[in-house]
Amino acid sequence: MSIIRKNEFLSSIKMELVSGGKENLNKVVKIIDKNLNNRDDWKMFQEAFNNADKKFLGKIKSKHTELTPNDLRLCAYLRLNLSSKEIAPLLNISPRSVEVKRYRLRKKMNLPHDENLTSYILEV
């Protein structure tokens, strides 16, 4: 949750700076982008998640070999039963983009239209 708050804070600062039109705006925006895209947060989360559910990422990867690391990340968040609104700040995207990612993940997994993606992931 602290990662979510940090990313929301950095996003709001970025928006303020973009609308402000300062001289060194680009430099500050680059620094903020660097902090928003910090992969160390994902590594810490992945380690904590694996401690809680050791075999999930391995199971899902063996069942669906075509999944990318970003797909696995989304699966992990769905496994925690997070909503699209809760996942969006973690991925630094809009809730609508999370819905698109979920749709594409369903297609990659060849899930029938009537099967719930979150339920499927929780059952794995």
Side-chain angles (χ1 to χ4, degrees):
M1 293 310 286
S2 67
I3 294 169
I4 293 172
R5 278 187 255 121
K6 177 193 87 163
N7 287 343
E8 288 174 341
F9 174 73
L10 289 174
S11 292
S12 67
I13 289 175
K14 181 178 177 180
M15 296 306 272
E16 287 295 322
L17 288 173
V18 168
S19 64
K22 300 285 183 188
E23 300 299 323
N24 38 345
L25 175 72
N26 289 334
K27 184 178 178 181
V28 174
V29 169
K30 285 180 185 178
I31 292 169
I32 291 172
D33 282 339
K34 180 181 171 189
N35 286 317
L36 282 174
N37 294 325
N38 190 348
R39 296 290 177 203
D40 292 336
D41 294 339
W42 170 242
K43 288 178 186 173
M44 286 174 35
F45 171 79
Q46 190 173 20
E47 186 176 314
F49 184 81
N50 283 334
N51 287 339
D53 193 353
K54 294 182 190 293
K55 298 177 184 169
F56 171 71
L57 290 176
K59 284 181 191 175
I60 198 84
K61 184 66 178 168
S62 66
K63 259 188 165 178
H64 305 283
T65 56
E66 69 282 355
L67 295 181
T68 65
N70 283 334
D71 293 334
L72 293 173
R73 190 174 180 185
L74 179 59
C75 287
Y77 293 142
L78 292 172
R79 177 77 170 189
L80 295 173
N81 215 11
L82 296 178
S83 69
S84 293
K85 278 188 171 183
E86 293 167 327
I87 295 171
L90 294 171
L91 298 177
N92 298 317
I93 58 177
S94 70
R96 176 69 181 131
S97 296
V98 174
E99 293 299 324
V100 171
K101 281 183 164 293
R102 289 172 65 121
Y103 172 76
R104 291 180 180 156
L105 182 61
R106 289 177 60 81
K107 284 181 79 173
K108 281 185 181 181
M109 293 178 156
N110 295 320
L111 292 179
H113 184 70
D114 58 336
E115 188 166 354
N116 186 313
L117 177 63
T118 304
S119 298
Y120 173 77
I121 288 175
L122 290 172
E123 289 171 5
V124 169

